[in-house]
């Protein structure tokens, strides 16, 4: 019996659902992996249903999301590889801290508690939620223009609209406000990660050079903090440095039957949002 992971768990971020992984699922299944892309609690329904009735989104909490993900991972016969995007990247770090996963990747991760860097592009991207404290009790969607800035800033208007209609849902305002206020409240908050936990599995951070909502400066402090902790499991460190080198490549058509509206993991190190495609590549970590 081998201990090599045979399952990949994909954790999505805010303003989208597990549908955003649809081509990643196909890609990894073709490589022989069992692939799980769980939604948050109540996300068993599809994008259209969540847009029609976002009450489930409003009721979400970080502890409930983590408990839900752990309940899915816990029964697996072998620890999986966990890949999380945006808010899913922060949840991935929490899962590793809780002892789950054989290894993990955080794609354009949202900051965990203690990360104080707030670039302008991130402020602008999240302003639809953070412009009013009253949004803490609401599910807040993005307009098409807001989506284009936060998620599809390297796409044409036509492509952005197609992706908006395919993937966009409102996000939980309470969790976003909670992540902002976590650095100003005493004690550990919902997005706290124990970076001194030497038993965590290895973690790779990847950040895109053109990402607006979770740009490189948001990921660098987390990676630096994490990588200071040696891991007895890997004899190296629990996190690899962020890589952001760019490589221009041909732009894939959103209507291509070979690629569909999402990027495949053939181009996972994208400067675009990880669910959507890209032109940049991180290259090898150094």
């Amino acid at each position: 019996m081998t201990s090599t992971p045979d399952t990949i768990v994909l954790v999505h971020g805010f303003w989208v659902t597990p549908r955003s992984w649809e081509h990643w699922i196909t890609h990894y299944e073709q490589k022989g992996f069992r692939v799980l892309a769980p939604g948050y609690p109540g996300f068993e329904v599809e994008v259209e249903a969540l847009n029609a009735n976002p009450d489930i989104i409003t009721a979400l909490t970080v502890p409930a999301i983590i408990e839900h993900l752990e309940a899915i991972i816990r029964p697996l016969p072998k620890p999986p590889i966990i890949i999380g995007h945006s808010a899913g990247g922060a949840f991935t770090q929490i899962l590793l801290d809780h002892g789950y996963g054989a290894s993990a990747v955080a794609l354009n991760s949202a900051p965990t508690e203690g990360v104080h860097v707030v670039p302008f592009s991130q402020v602008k991207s999240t302003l639809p939620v953070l412009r009013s404290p009253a949004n803490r009790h609401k599910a807040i969607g993005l307009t098409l223009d807001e989506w284009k800035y936060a998620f599809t800033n390297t796409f044409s208007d036509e492509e952005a609209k197609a992706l908006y209609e395919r993937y966009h849902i409102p996000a939980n305002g309470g969790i976003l406000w909670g992540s902002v206020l976590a650095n100003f409240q005493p004690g550990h908050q919902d997005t706290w990660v124990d970076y001194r936990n030497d038993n965590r599995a290895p973690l790779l951070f990847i950040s895109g050079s053109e990402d607006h909502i979770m740009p490189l400066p948001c990921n660098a402090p987390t990676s630096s903090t994490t990588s200071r902790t040696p891991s007895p499991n890997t004899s190296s460190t629990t996190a690899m440095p962020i890589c952001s080198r760019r490589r221009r490549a041909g732009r894939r058509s959103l209507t291509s039957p070979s690629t569909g509206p999402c990027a495949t993991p053939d181009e996972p190190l994208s400067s675009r949002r990880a669910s959507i495609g890209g032109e940049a590549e991180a290259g090898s970590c150094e």
Side-chain angles (χ1 to χ4, degrees), residues 157-263:
D157 289 348
E158 181 182 8
E159 293 166 339
K161 185 174 185 296
L163 295 167
Y164 180 77
E165 294 173 347
R166 177 70 180 162
Y167 298 115
H168 169 266
I169 65 166
N172 181 292
I175 295 178
L176 266 75
W177 266 98
S179 66
V180 171
L181 297 176
N183 291 327
F184 305 98
Q185 295 177 304
H188 299 315
Q189 306 302 310
D190 291 344
T191 56
W192 180 74
V193 172
D194 181 6
Y195 292 111
R196 297 181 181 277
N197 177 4
D198 292 344
N199 294 317
R200 285 172 296 148
L203 172 64
L204 170 67
F205 283 94
I206 297 174
S207 181
S209 58
E210 297 181 39
D211 192 286
H212 277 171
I213 192 169
M214 298 298 168
L216 177 62
C218 293
N219 286 253
T222 313
S223 176
S224 298
T225 301
T226 307
S227 62
R228 285 199 296 266
T229 305
S231 170
N233 297 330
T234 63
S235 70
S236 57
T237 62
T238 56
M240 297 179 71
I242 292 175
C243 309
S244 61
R245 289 182 298 177
R246 299 186 59 199
R247 185 188 69 177
R248 283 293 176 189
R251 188 168 186 161
R252 293 192 174 190
S253 167
L254 294 180
T255 57
S256 166
S258 62
T259 59
C262 289

Side-chain angles (χ1 to χ4, degrees), residues 20-39:
S20 61
W21 293 116
E22 56 186 335
H23 298 291
W24 291 61
I25 294 171
T26 301
H27 174 83
Y28 285 124
E29 286 181 339
Q30 289 175 344
K31 290 184 175 297
F33 286 96
R34 177 189 184 192
V35 183
L36 305 178

Side-chain angles (χ1 to χ4, degrees), residues 108-112 115-128 130 149-150 180 183 207-222 242 273:
N108 297 317
S109 178
T112 53
V115 177
H116 297 269
V117 177
V118 185
F120 171 78
S121 70
Q122 186 181 52
V123 173
K124 183 175 179 179
S125 297
T126 55
L127 195 60
L130 301 181
Y149 182 82
V180 171
N183 291 327
S207 181
S209 58
E210 297 181 39
D211 192 286
H212 277 171
I213 192 169
M214 298 298 168
L216 177 62
C218 293
N219 286 253
T222 313
I242 292 175
R273 304 297 293 165

